[in-house]
Amino acid sequence: MLKTETPSSEHTQLDQYPVPDLVAAFVDDQFNAVQAVRAAAPQLAAAIEAAVPRIEAGGRLVYVGAGTSGRLGVLDSVELYPTFSWPPTRAVALLAGGEGAMFVAVEGAEDDRAQGERDLLSVAPTANDVVLLLAASGGTPYVLGALHAARAAGALTIGIANNTASPVAGAAHVGITLDTGPEVISGSTRLKAGTSQKIVLNTISSAIMVRLHKVYGNLMVDLKPTNAKLFARTVRLTMHATGADEDAARAALEECGFHVKVAIVALLKKVPVPQAASLLAQAGGSVRGALGA
């Protein structure tokens, strides 16, 4: 039996726990998710190192999964645009059962290997694409179908599973095994297995964005302000990075369409906004490169 399906030996009387003990059981078990990710750190680093050149060459991040795993992939894909101005066309999520499965479970969709292959082929994979394949069990047919199609297209495949010796991790170019073990509620991989997958996706996509110069220091300088909170954030980030006062930061941001990287270079280099934008372009979007030019 898969570890993720094995009943936990630690919480056999879970239904009789008082509420404080229920909370402790669920919360404490999440620490095992962090430990599982830590143990897989070398594989995460390998995945990121392999992914960056392909993404730099114009590739896309393609997420594939079913159920909780698939929804986590959707979540990561849609958050890259507001956080890093990453084009939505370059963060594609495929979910077994289609978009509607984000909100309502589509029974049996994960068992359709042929549909996984068809869905992957429908986005016309290329050799520069990076396909992240998520399956807690490690053997979801839909995900395996997509994996087969991705490999045939020459895309980089990263298999992420929560059971050892899994087909998804074994058949991918880079296999990431998150050995989270039995769940507090037997088989409910939306718990720590899901948490571990969320950590991995956060780590992979964020690290790639750092390597693509979308972070200066530890500041999120390539965000896309789409609401009042984010517009205010661009001002704070610019002030923090440059030491400028609010009026100067806001003026520079307004002149460059609230592109934080351009405002930072303009203020620190004391050059006009168009020149700052040119310096950034010449430096491949690197604030440090533009400042050193």
Side-chain angles (χ1 to χ4, degrees), residues 59-235:
R60 300 168 295 175
L61 290 167
V62 181
Y63 303 76
V64 182
T68 296
S69 298
R71 295 183 189 104
L72 289 170
V74 173
L75 181 62
D76 202 66
S77 72
V78 300
E79 290 185 340
L80 294 181
Y81 176 71
T83 309
F84 300 110
S85 297
W86 189 248
T89 55
R90 295 184 67 190
V92 179
L94 302 176
L95 178 60
E99 291 183 5
M102 188 71 188
F103 304 100
V104 179
V106 178
E107 299 302 329
E110 70 175 57
D111 298 326
D112 194 337
R113 181 174 179 134
Q115 189 61 50
E117 184 170 354
R118 286 193 294 269
D119 285 355
L120 198 284
L121 292 175
S122 74
V123 301
T126 72
N128 284 329
D129 288 334
V130 176
V131 183
L132 299 113
L133 302 121
L134 300 121
S137 69
T140 305
Y142 177 87
V143 176
L144 289 171
L147 171 56
H148 173 79
R151 286 205 63 134
L156 175 68
T157 53
I158 300 171
I160 302 165
N162 292 88
N163 284 286
T164 57
S166 72
V168 165
H173 292 102
V174 181
I176 298 173
T177 299
L178 307 169
D179 190 6
T180 45
E183 297 286 358
V184 172
I185 296 177
S186 304
S188 183
T189 51
R190 59 180 286 272
L191 298 175
K192 68 172 176 286
T195 298
S196 69
Q197 291 181 5
K198 181 68 166 71
I199 296 171
V200 164
L201 292 176
N202 279 347
T203 301
I204 291 175
S205 61
S206 298
I208 290 172
M209 294 301 145
V210 171
R211 282 288 170 264
L212 296 180
H213 309 303
K214 293 181 173 293
V215 174
Y216 173 54
N218 65 347
L219 303 179
M220 182 173 59
V221 294
D222 213 1
L223 75 161
K224 186 68 66 176
T226 55
N227 56 45
K229 178 188 72 175
L230 294 179
F231 275 105
R233 183 179 294 167
T234 65
V235 176

Side-chain angles (χ1 to χ4, degrees), residues 8-20:
S8 172
S9 61
E10 297 181 13
H11 302 287
T12 58
Q13 303 300 316
L14 186 71
D15 61 335
Q16 297 183 328
Y17 284 10
V19 170

